[in-house]
């Protein structure tokens, strides 16, 4: 696809995912097709989370004084908060914020709920809409002012170690989730100046969309005891002491749906992973004047068998040209199309078309074994789509030895460029600035920024780098020894 932005916008409209004509900027309407993809995506996440977390639902409004309690947190969000000032004609004594996220809604309640060490750990999540008055260019699903698919998890722990473990646990959860959707990712620790307001540190998942721009698709924050101290969340230890708890929170948003659409789609439109496709199989009868009823009847039988095996199947018996149906279902990304005509019935066959590979095959439907064959084809599609997406992602990852090289790579090839950095904040900011302004000659625009999420080097990596020689371990900006490998990318 030549212009991803245009493609993305068009497909949202043509496949009836989102209608962005709603008259409030950054707030869009989920249409039935989009809503189903969203529903199945959330089902995957719920299935994973329900094993260890409990789902809750907090109010959408947060009193001004609660939101303001955690100073660093509120500072980070102050420019993005929508306020309710009136109830009818009456001005409210206390303004109410539309939640930009729910820490300050939940944690005063956690303070009431947490009593003893036996209550811990606590793990909750909710899937809600949150509101952020984004000043940057808004885009459906990617940067919205009403985030409608905000899954936020909040956990409470007795010790620092357990809290650290939970960060790793959350990373595992998101890996599993993104793997099931075939979304490739890079996991990194954000620099201190780019962490969640109030967090000790932030770990983020980034993917790359087909235009080479990075998109943050999930974040895990270690909140340490910051919020516990602000909201007085304490527990009684076995010895009878009162300690502050440790907390984490982690979230994903509509961007996951944007990634499913953007990463797997192609010139023909959507290409949906079977797990989230509204229809996993569509059956298209190939009808001629003679024997039409027999074909329809036969297809109904195939439909019933696949449905009873738990698959989401649609029998498209509309009285329109088969070619038109093919076009529509390809555009909507249905993973498998079965075509059945009189000759197929005669031979006990069906044509199976794979949306991901755009390839046709003939299968036997003589016995019910074909049901398993369709199921395993769906599994193969999931697998192959994931592989293809990772291949393309890896092509977008490159190393750089100098700042100029890093900037040039981004300018010419986009994607994520990795290199060594000393870890110093002033040096990091200077580097970002050099890439952004000095080299590319680009001033921060409303639609694009350059981010520098950091990836900490693991022990094994440091060992292998020592073999590479000293040059490989120097900060590409200041030349001091490098403790981190970092990355820079043009981001959404
Ligand atoms: C938290 N608190 O809030 P986070 N449009 C679409 N997606 C967005 C937008 C937007 N305007 N803004 C952020 N996201 C924590 C964790 C509870 C849960 C995405 O964290 O502020 C971000 O890319 O990092 C991120 O993946 C997710 O929402 C969580 O937001």
């Amino acid at each position: 696809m030549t212009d991803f932005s245009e493609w993305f916008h068009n497909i949202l409209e043509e496949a009836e995912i989102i209608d962005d004509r709603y008259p409030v900027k950054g707030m869009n309407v989920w249409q039935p097709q989009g809503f189903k993809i969203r529903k199945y995506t959330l089902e995957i996440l719920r299935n994973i989370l329900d094993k260890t977390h409990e789902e809750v639902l907090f109010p959408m409004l947060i009193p001004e004084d609660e939101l303001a309690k955690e100073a660093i947190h509120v500072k980070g969000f102050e420019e993005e908060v929508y306020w309710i000032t009136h109830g009818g004609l009456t001005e409210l004594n206390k303004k109410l914020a539309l939640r930009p996220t729910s820490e300050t809604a939940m944690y005063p309640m956690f303070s009431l709920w947490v009593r003893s060490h036996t209550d811990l750990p606590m793990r909750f999540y909710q899937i809600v809409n949150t509101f952020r008055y984004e000043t940057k260019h808004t885009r459906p699903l990617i940067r919205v002012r009403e985030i409608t698919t905000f899954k936020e998890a909040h956990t409470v722990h007795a010790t620092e170690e357990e809290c650290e473990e939970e960060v790793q646990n959350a990373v595992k959860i998101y890996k599993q989730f993104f793997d099931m959707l075939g979304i490739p990712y890079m996991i990194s620790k954000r620099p201190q100046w780019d962490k969640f307001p109030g967090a000790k540190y932030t770990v983020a998942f980034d993917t790359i969309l087909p235009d080479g721009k990075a998109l943050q698709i999930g974040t895990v924050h270690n909140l340490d005891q910051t919020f516990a101290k602000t909201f007085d969340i304490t527990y009684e230890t076995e010895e009878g002491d009162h300690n502050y708890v440790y907390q984490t929170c982690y979230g994903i948003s509509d961007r996951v749906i944007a990634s499913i659409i953007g990463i797997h789609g192609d010139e023909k439109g959507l290409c949906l992973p079977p797990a989230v496709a509204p229809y996993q199989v569509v059956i298209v009868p190939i009808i001629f004047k003679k024997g039409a009823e027999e074909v329809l009847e036969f297809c109904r039988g195939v439909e019933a068998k696949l449905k009873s095996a738990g698959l989401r199947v649609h029998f498209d018996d509309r009285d329109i040209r088969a070619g038109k149906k093919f076009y529509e279902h390809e555009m909507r990304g249905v993973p498998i199309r079965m075509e059945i005509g009189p000759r197929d019935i005669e031979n006990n066959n069906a044509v199976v078309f794979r949306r991901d590979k755009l390839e046709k095959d003939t299968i036997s439907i003589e016995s019910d074994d074909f049901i398993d064959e369709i199921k395993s084809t769906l599994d193969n599609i999931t697998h192959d789509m994931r592989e293809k997406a990772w291949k393309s992602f890896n092509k977008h990852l490159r190393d750089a030895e100098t700042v100029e090289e890093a900037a040039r790579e981004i300018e010419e090839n986009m994607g994520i460029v990795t290199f060594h950095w000393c870890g110093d904040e002033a040096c990091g900011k200077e580097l970002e600035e050099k890439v952004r302004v000095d080299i590319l000659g680009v001033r921060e625009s409303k639609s694009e920024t350059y981010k520098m999420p950091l990836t900490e080097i693991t022990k094994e990596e440091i060992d292998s780098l020592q073999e590479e020689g000293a040059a490989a371990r120097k900060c590409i900006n200041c030349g001091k020894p490098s403790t981190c490998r970092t990355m820079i990318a043009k981001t959404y």
Side-chain angles (χ1 to χ4, degrees):
M1 71 196 61
T2 41
D3 183 340
F4 172 71
S5 246
E6 194 186 319
W7 177 90
F8 187 67
H9 195 265
N10 289 345
I11 198 65
L12 292 184
E13 187 183 324
E14 203 185 351
E16 295 170 347
I17 308 285
I18 284 277
D19 196 330
D20 67 353
R21 290 171 298 177
Y22 191 75
V24 181
K25 187 173 145 64
M27 301 190 185
N28 307 302
V29 181
W30 282 98
Q31 290 172 279
Q33 285 302 313
F35 195 84
K36 285 192 189 103
I37 298 172
R38 175 182 178 275
K39 180 174 93 171
Y40 296 126
T41 304
L42 289 177
E43 233 169 68
I44 296 176
L45 194 55
R46 275 204 169 91
N47 283 338
I48 301 174
L49 287 172
D50 285 344
K51 294 193 177 94
T52 43
H53 294 58
E54 289 195 284
E55 188 168 1
V56 291
L57 184 57
F58 276 71
M60 189 189 286
L61 303 184
I62 305 174
E64 183 179 17
D65 48 352
E66 294 292 6
L67 188 78
K69 247 183 203 161
E70 193 358 82
I72 309 170
H73 183 71
V74 72
K75 185 104 195 71
F77 277 104
E78 68 186 353
E79 289 177 14
E80 295 183 13
V81 178
Y82 281 92
W83 289 104
I84 294 183
T85 56
H86 285 75
L89 299 178
T90 313
E91 191 171 341
L92 301 177
N93 293 335
K94 207 189 269 182
K95 284 196 293 183
L96 297 167
L98 284 181
R99 61 179 163 220
T101 168
S102 304
E103 285 73 12
T104 57
M106 290 182 163
Y107 299 171
M109 301 305 291
F110 285 11
S111 154
L112 303 173
W113 294 354
V114 179
R115 285 278 153 262
S116 147
H117 64 95
T118 54
D119 297 331
L120 302 176
M122 280 181 175
R123 293 188 183 90
F124 300 106
Y125 77 92
Q126 65 175 11
I127 299 173
V128 293
N129 42 359
T130 55
F131 298 83
R132 296 186 181 182
Y133 184 74
E134 293 279 357
T135 47
K136 285 188 194 143
H137 184 71
T138 57
R139 260 173 228 273
L141 301 176
I142 290 177
R143 175 165 283 106
V144 286
R145 288 184 170 173
E146 181 181 13
I147 310 177
T148 52
T149 312
F150 196 70
K151 189 288 300 164
E152 47 179 327
H154 295 264
T155 71
V156 189
H157 308 271
T159 66
E160 196 175 352
E161 293 72 39
E162 279 176 34
C163 190
E164 285 287 344
E165 266 169 40
E166 185 63 22
V167 169
Q168 292 314 316
N169 186 29
V171 167
K172 262 193 223 145
I173 287 174
Y174 286 159
K175 272 180 157 179
Q176 193 185 347
F177 176 55
F178 292 131
D179 285 345
M180 287 177 90
L181 299 170
I183 299 176
Y185 45 79
M186 175 109 157
I187 304 168
S188 68
K189 206 165 177 178
R190 287 289 189 253
Q192 282 296 315
W193 66 91
D194 192 28
K195 63 184 182 183
F196 182 68
K200 180 178 167 192
Y201 64 83
T202 290
V203 174
F205 283 70
D206 289 274
T207 193
I208 302 176
L209 293 185
D211 57 1
K213 279 196 207 170
L215 179 69
Q216 184 193 75
I217 46 168
T219 41
V220 182
H221 313 291
N222 183 332
L223 303 178
D224 203 59
Q225 291 182 311
T226 305
F227 287 87
K229 286 179 180 161
T230 306
F231 291 98
D232 197 28
I233 313 175
T234 60
Y235 71 97
E236 192 174 336
T237 65
E238 258 175 272
E239 292 74 35
D241 297 329
H242 286 269
N243 285 355
Y244 285 113
V245 297
Y246 292 82
Q247 292 175 279
T248 77
C249 66
Y250 33 104
I252 56 108
S253 75
D254 308 47
R255 288 180 180 179
V256 174
I257 319 278
S259 307
I260 296 173
I261 293 170
I263 287 170
H264 301 304
D266 59 23
E267 282 79 10
K268 290 193 181 286
L270 296 182
C271 180
L272 293 172
V276 302
Y279 293 126
Q280 296 163 317
V281 181
V282 62
I283 303 169
V284 177
I286 308 296
I287 297 178
F288 302 96
K289 277 203 188 99
K290 215 174 116 221
E293 194 42 50
E294 192 195 346
V295 172
L296 292 175
E297 199 48 42
F298 189 87
C299 289
R300 275 185 211 112
V302 172
E303 179 197 13
K305 281 181 184 169
L306 290 173
K307 272 193 174 157
S308 65
L311 297 178
R312 297 193 288 270
V313 186
H314 175 58
F315 174 37
D316 190 351
D317 60 355
R318 288 175 300 168
D319 190 15
I320 55 172
R321 277 190 309 113
K324 191 163 187 309
K325 296 180 188 175
F326 293 178
Y327 168 84
E328 238 174 63
H329 298 303
E330 279 171 30
M331 185 271 294
R332 285 177 189 257
V334 182
I336 289 181
R337 178 175 77 229
M338 288 179 81
E339 302 163 21
I340 302 174
R343 199 177 309 147
D344 300 303
I345 297 174
E346 223 173 274
N347 299 330
N348 265 315
N349 283 341
V351 171
V352 168
F353 171 82
R354 271 179 66 160
R355 172 63 184 87
D356 64 321
K357 291 202 184 295
L358 300 172
E359 279 171 12
K360 278 187 183 184
D361 199 3
T362 302
I363 64 163
S364 162
I365 45 175
E366 195 164 0
S367 79
D368 286 355
D369 290 351
F370 85 90
I371 301 171
D372 284 338
E373 202 171 337
I374 292 289
K375 279 187 169 173
S376 80
T377 305
L378 287 169
D379 289 343
N380 291 343
I381 291 174
T382 303
H383 173 269
D384 293 350
M385 283 175 68
R386 186 191 309 133
E387 295 259 295
K388 186 175 165 212
W390 271 101
K391 239 187 218 160
S392 148
F393 180 82
N394 287 331
K395 265 196 224 145
H396 277 110
L397 298 184
R398 284 175 311 275
D399 295 339
E401 297 288 332
T402 63
V403 181
E404 291 74 14
E405 195 185 329
R408 201 175 47 244
E409 275 294 340
I410 289 183
E411 193 180 25
E412 288 171 9
N413 303 314
M414 303 285 280
I416 293 178
V417 178
T418 69
F419 46 81
H420 285 279
W421 171 58
C422 61
D424 178 70
E425 181 164 337
C427 173
K429 284 187 168 168
E430 185 185 294
L431 215 156
E432 273 187 320
E433 205 55 17
K434 270 193 193 170
V435 173
R436 183 167 49 226
V437 183
D438 297 353
I439 299 178
L440 295 182
V442 180
R443 298 262 155 217
E444 179 122 302
S445 77
K446 287 230 181 268
S447 61
E448 311 181 315
T449 51
Y450 296 93
K451 284 242 169 100
M452 284 193 54
L454 307 187
T455 316
E456 279 191 351
I457 294 185
T458 62
K459 169 95 179 53
E460 299 78 69
E461 273 180 284
I462 290 172
D463 289 347
S464 76
L465 285 168
Q466 266 154 6
E467 283 160 26
E468 280 174 33
R473 304 194 309 275
K474 283 189 180 149
C475 172
I476 65 163
N477 187 38
C478 68
K480 288 202 192 112
S482 154
T483 54
C484 306
R485 195 161 180 85
T486 184
M487 58 201 206
I488 194 159
K490 216 167 190 175
T491 65
Y492 272 99

